[in-house]
Amino acid sequence: REKDGHETPLTYGNLWQSSMNVANSLAARGLGQQDTIALMLRTEMAFFSSFLGTLLAGCVPVPLYPPFRANRIEEYIQRQLSILGNANVKLMITFSEVEHLAKLLHSQLPALSAIVTTNSLLGEGANLPRLNVEQQKGNKPALIQYTSGSTGNPKGTLLSNTNLMANIRALQQRLKITSDDIGVSWLPLYHDMGLIGTWLGTLYFGTPLALMSPLEFLARPSRWLWTLHAHRATMSAAPNFAYDLCSQRIQDKEIEGLDLSSVRILLNGAEAVQPATLKRFMKRFSSYGLDKSALLPVYGLAEC
């Protein structure tokens, strides 16, 4: 979903084509088995092909959150230097608006060979011979996920394909998810709840996913609920604060005609789950068709 409300569809075929172009470009740059690639990208279309293209090339993606606040750039740079050095990142994929910032990081990390945008990789890879993709399976590295660093330096966790599939299949089994479900998410893709629990999960389940920007949700929380309504969605997930935000900030006039009766799963996790929050949310939105059994506290921890 774009800022103006317009939706851009992404098919499996288009995702495969663009991901292969990224993989071809990475291979042409001499990158391959278990080389680490940083993804400093927003929650947008470019993330999908960059992430899967990195995997198809045999490399290991390291998702990073992009810079948000101009007045905290120095703090941001120091944190990213710690991660990039720790992961021994070889190349960074980012978006054009922050290339200048990424180059500041580049100058302090000799191992970082280049800073590129997804568009440049897509263009290069389209004109190259097809890469012979080795099947990524078993205990081969899938990605490196870093903790928030709120209580010290960020710590990386190397997740294997086996780790990911165990987590995703457990979700499917417990929640009885099928390709008939429809997901909605505004969660950032550099965070495990958005990346693994939402996107990679729905990709594996064959479940359509309507994705919107976290900033779009924060600017107007009712957009999340209206997206659930518009797609007759059956499932979504968010941290506890999001449910409080909806209960407290959304005006009745914003949601006249809203219908949440299709929703059967609303997961609450990624931070402390407050029972009072669940009760407030249910009380506020039960009259809009929301079934109280849909609200489910969840817990996940990459380090485990």
Side-chain angles (χ1 to χ4, degrees):
R1 176 184 163 114
E2 310 294 344
K3 291 179 182 178
D4 61 1
H6 173 72
E7 294 187 348
T8 303
L10 176 61
T11 65
Y12 286 98
N14 288 338
L15 178 59
W16 173 256
Q17 179 67 47
S18 59
S19 299
M20 281 301 303
N21 286 351
V22 169
N24 290 338
S25 184
L26 292 175
R29 290 169 176 268
L31 296 162
Q33 290 302 312
Q34 299 189 28
D35 284 330
T36 46
I37 309 293
L39 307 181
M40 186 193 287
L41 294 164
R42 299 165 295 197
T43 299
E44 58 187 348
M45 199 79 81
F47 186 95
F48 301 123
S49 54
S50 297
F51 184 90
L52 290 182
T54 298
L55 288 177
L56 288 168
C59 301
V60 181
V62 184
L64 307 175
Y65 73 89
F68 293 113
R69 301 176 184 173
N71 63 342
R72 299 183 68 177
I73 288 297
E74 185 175 350
E75 175 188 335
Y76 176 84
I77 288 175
Q78 290 307 312
R79 183 184 187 280
Q80 301 312 317
L81 282 172
S82 172
I83 290 176
L84 295 168
N86 180 259
N88 195 29
V89 166
K90 304 298 184 185
L91 179 138
M92 178 187 290
I93 304 175
T94 189
F95 52 104
S96 58
E97 290 88 338
V98 296
E99 274 189 288
H100 65 287
L101 171 61
K103 286 174 182 175
L104 291 176
L105 298 170
H106 189 194
S107 65
Q108 300 183 56
L109 290 165
L112 187 60
S113 64
I115 308 287
V116 296
T117 64
T118 307
N119 284 340
S120 66
L121 291 178
L122 289 171
E124 294 169 8
N127 301 314
L128 293 170
R130 274 280 176 248
L131 178 69
N132 183 21
V133 178
E134 181 182 347
Q135 188 176 3
Q136 302 297 306
K137 59 184 178 180
N139 281 317
K140 285 190 175 182
L143 70 110
I144 302 177
Q145 182 186 341
Y146 277 83
T147 59
S148 65
S150 57
T151 57
N153 287 332
K155 296 176 178 61
T157 302
L158 180 63
L159 300 177
S160 69
N161 289 283
T162 301
N163 293 147
L164 292 181
M165 291 312 304
N167 190 88
I168 289 169
R169 285 172 178 150
L171 275 173
Q172 185 175 35
Q173 182 178 7
R174 175 63 183 85
L175 300 174
K176 296 180 172 56
I177 300 170
T178 73
S179 58
D180 292 329
D181 281 300
I182 298 172
V184 167
S185 179
W186 53 265
L187 297 170
L189 292 168
Y190 52 78
H191 187 276
D192 58 352
M193 198 178 202
L195 174 62
I196 303 169
T198 301
W199 175 47
L200 292 177
T202 53
L203 190 68
Y204 175 75
F205 309 143
T207 300
L209 175 67
L211 186 74
M212 53 193 287
S213 162
L215 299 179
E216 191 178 1
F217 164 74
L218 292 172
R220 186 173 294 176
S222 62
R223 288 171 176 158
W224 177 32
L225 305 185
W226 277 115
T227 305
L228 290 166
H229 166 104
H231 290 275
R232 301 301 297 157
T234 59
M235 58 186 190
S236 193
N240 192 86
F241 84 86
Y243 294 94
D244 271 332
L245 211 58
C246 288
S247 299
Q248 297 165 12
R249 274 187 47 186
I250 295 176
Q251 306 277 325
D252 287 344
K253 62 183 179 182
E254 288 182 71
I255 50 175
E256 290 179 2
L258 180 71
D259 181 4
L260 298 176
S261 61
S262 64
V263 179
R264 69 180 189 88
I265 300 168
L266 282 180
L267 304 178
N268 181 335
E271 62 184 23
V273 178
Q274 302 296 335
T277 298
L278 299 175
K279 290 176 183 175
R280 276 194 297 269
F281 189 86
M282 194 62 238
K283 183 178 179 181
R284 178 75 198 281
F285 296 104
S286 60
S287 60
Y288 295 91
L290 182 64
D291 189 321
K292 65 179 180 181
S293 66
L295 291 173
L296 299 172
V298 291
Y299 180 81
L301 184 66
E303 297 91 314
C304 287

